[in-house]
Amino acid sequence: MVEVTATDAPTLAASSRPAQRWLARLAFGTAAAAVLLVLSVAGIRGSINLLVIGAAGMALALAGAWWFLSHRGALRWLAGSLVIVSPLVVAILFGRANLIWVVVAFALLWTAALAAGRRALTAPEIADGPAERETPPPQRPYLIMNPRSGGGKVERFQLVERARGMGAEVALLEGDVDVVELARQAVRDGADLLGVAGGDGTQALVAGIAAEHGLPFMVISAGTRNHFALDLGLDRQNPATCLDALTDGVEVRVDLGLIGDRTFVNNASFGAYAAVVQSPAYRDDKTRTTLDLLPDLLAGQQGPRLRVRAGDVELSGPQAVLVSNNPYGSDDLAGLGRRPRVDGGVLGVLAVTVHGAIEAAGFAQGLRRAKALTVLTATEAIVDADEPAVPVGIDGEAITMPTPVRCSIRPGALRVRVPRHRPGVPPPRPELDWARLRRLALSAGGG
């Protein structure tokens, strides 16, 4: 795996607190206790065969997960059964040998080790995100709302009535409407804020117009997943609270991604995921469509052969590439979760290149250091292919773009008006890096 990161071990050790160092030592202590427990049971009870069976059961479950994703029909469902049955068989065998307590004790010790390790690697001071700036409320806000988005959240939360009651002009997306032209016309008519209640694809289009004219932008979490709203710290359960920004809000500056001449707020995907998004059936049944298309895509039997260049790194033949507006958290390999920041001034790049079952198993475990995965950051990423055009998923919207496709970052390009009081973004979950943890545990300090 290739991973480029700005974190260095000496800085971590030098800036650590005594509590972090002791947590690192606790992580190693409980992990060692878990291993010693297993070894002592194997030696005293002669249960080495059971331990081998346990390891084999875990391996079978991981292999089954990969086979489930990479095959269809009967083999897929047999693989799914393997994922469920393997750990059950292991548990039954340990129970018959009166060793189920070993499984429970090992799980508790290992869970404690992981929790202590992650807590130890959490930065002593977590930045609160983009700096807030006091600005006067907008006088002529213009909000675009999609009544179909998010299963009808606009109507369910009475967003039109609430927004108009706060003095906003509201345009509903009904029929075939050019969202970009709608936003441009609003600017020509004197709007001093643009906002969207809808999916992230629509958010991105209007955000690009707001950034072009230097106007503040407002996100209303009325989409299905609302990833951009999530990373802005907005309330995704009640989109009506986003409207508070009109009367009691602050501004933050965040980055925008650019792919060709089109803006994206979350990510642009190529290869396997982009081909899934491109399917006409995707919007009606995302899960079934994804499962149906993944086998050929992950096996490299469909789609163009990709080439990626990001900074000094060049990759050939990845099955899936995700370029994001700032990198996703260390425990998120698919761009489905959180980004710790959206104002870091860099693109995140994830590329999956699976050459065989062993690499597939590592990736199926969600290991960031799996050989099949390349993780890096850059200010520009260029995706090329052996075909003149490739399918691209831009914030979940499917389009086709000519190759090569250039992605770049626009630092601080977008002014976003958010409610003063909002849930906020929780501290990022750190990657459990045992090498960094060891250096932390062995570092000298006042505690």
Side-chain angles (χ1 to χ4, degrees):
M1 189 206 79
V2 176
E3 182 169 8
V4 179
T5 176
T7 303
D8 58 49
T11 300
L12 173 67
S15 63
S16 63
R17 297 175 298 180
Q20 287 181 285
R21 294 192 287 273
W22 282 110
L23 281 169
R25 294 160 190 164
L26 176 62
F28 277 102
T30 50
V35 174
L36 287 174
L37 172 67
V38 171
L39 294 177
S40 64
V41 170
I44 297 173
R45 300 290 299 272
S47 303
I48 189 67
N49 289 338
L50 278 177
L51 299 180
V52 172
I53 290 173
M58 181 180 295
L60 283 174
L62 291 173
W66 177 256
W67 292 334
F68 180 83
L69 293 175
S70 58
H71 293 82
R72 298 188 182 89
L75 185 56
R76 163 172 283 172
W77 299 113
L78 286 173
S81 301
L82 189 64
V83 174
I84 298 172
V85 170
S86 295
L88 287 178
V89 171
V90 171
I92 291 171
L93 291 175
F94 271 74
R96 291 180 62 181
N98 294 320
L99 290 175
I100 196 69
W101 66 270
V102 176
V103 177
V104 174
F106 179 85
L108 290 174
L109 286 169
W110 194 249
T111 300
L114 296 178
R118 290 190 183 278
R119 187 66 180 268
L121 292 174
T122 300
E125 296 180 2
I126 300 296
D128 293 329
E132 296 181 358
R133 188 165 64 97
E134 294 286 345
T135 56
Q139 299 301 305
R140 299 189 61 183
Y142 185 88
L143 306 181
I144 298 171
M145 298 190 181
N146 185 347
R148 300 178 302 279
S149 188
K153 288 183 180 179
V154 168
E155 180 178 355
R156 189 158 67 251
F157 289 91
Q158 300 179 324
L159 298 181
V160 175
E161 294 80 2
R162 291 172 185 261
R164 286 174 176 164
M166 293 179 173
E169 182 178 351
V170 178
L172 290 176
L173 294 181
E174 295 177 328
D176 188 14
V177 180
D178 186 335
V179 176
V180 171
E181 180 54 34
L182 195 64
R184 290 191 186 280
Q185 184 60 51
V187 174
R188 288 192 290 267
D189 291 341
D192 60 355
L193 176 143
L194 298 177
V196 172
D200 287 333
T202 307
Q203 300 276 4
L205 292 174
V206 181
I209 303 303
E212 178 184 330
H213 294 275
L215 294 178
F217 179 68
M218 198 172 87
V219 176
I220 305 169
S221 55
T224 302
R225 291 176 178 82
N226 301 296
H227 284 167
F228 192 41
L230 175 74
D231 296 329
L232 289 170
L234 302 178
D235 188 342
R236 294 195 302 171
Q237 304 306 315
N238 183 2
T241 61
C242 299
L243 294 173
D244 294 342
L246 291 173
T247 55
D248 185 23
V250 292
E251 275 192 21
V252 297
R253 276 196 175 269
V254 302
D255 306 335
L256 287 177
L258 192 66
I259 177 169
D261 59 357
R262 178 166 172 158
T263 296
F264 62 93
V265 294
N266 295 329
N267 57 59
S269 56
F270 304 81
Y273 182 70
V276 170
V277 174
Q278 202 84 358
S279 169
Y282 177 72
R283 285 192 176 276
D284 295 329
D285 193 338
K286 293 178 172 62
T287 301
R288 178 175 295 181
T289 304
T290 301
L291 289 175
D292 186 55
L293 293 176
L294 272 180
D296 291 336
L297 295 166
L298 292 178
Q301 298 169 5
Q302 287 187 3
R305 180 177 176 82
L306 301 176
R307 297 183 298 276
V308 182
R309 185 170 74 253
D312 297 329
V313 178
E314 294 190 13
L315 305 170
S316 180
Q319 285 103 333
V321 176
L322 187 80
V323 180
S324 58
N325 171 18
N326 285 266
Y328 284 92
S330 61
D331 60 340
D332 179 20
L333 304 184
L336 300 175
R338 286 184 180 272
R339 290 164 289 179
R341 301 193 69 108
V342 285
D343 63 337
V346 292
L347 298 170
V349 181
L350 298 175
V352 180
T353 310
V354 177
H355 290 122
I358 294 178
E359 293 182 6
F363 181 70
Q365 293 181 68
L367 295 179
R368 192 174 180 85
R369 296 182 181 277
K371 189 176 181 181
L373 184 68
T374 300
V375 182
L376 55 99
T377 59
T379 55
E380 180 180 86
I382 298 175
V383 181
D384 206 347
D386 56 1
E387 295 184 10
V390 291
V392 185
I394 303 178
D395 289 334
E397 302 290 332
I399 67 170
T400 299
M401 298 189 71
T403 55
V405 181
R406 179 178 178 270
C407 303
S408 59
I409 192 77
R410 299 175 61 196
L414 183 64
R415 299 166 55 192
V416 182
R417 188 167 180 86
V418 294
R420 187 183 306 276
H421 305 290
R422 58 194 186 280
V425 180
R429 187 184 183 198
E431 178 187 1
L432 190 57
D433 185 334
W434 288 98
R436 290 177 60 210
L437 199 62
R438 183 185 69 250
R439 288 190 288 268
L440 181 59
L442 296 175
S443 63

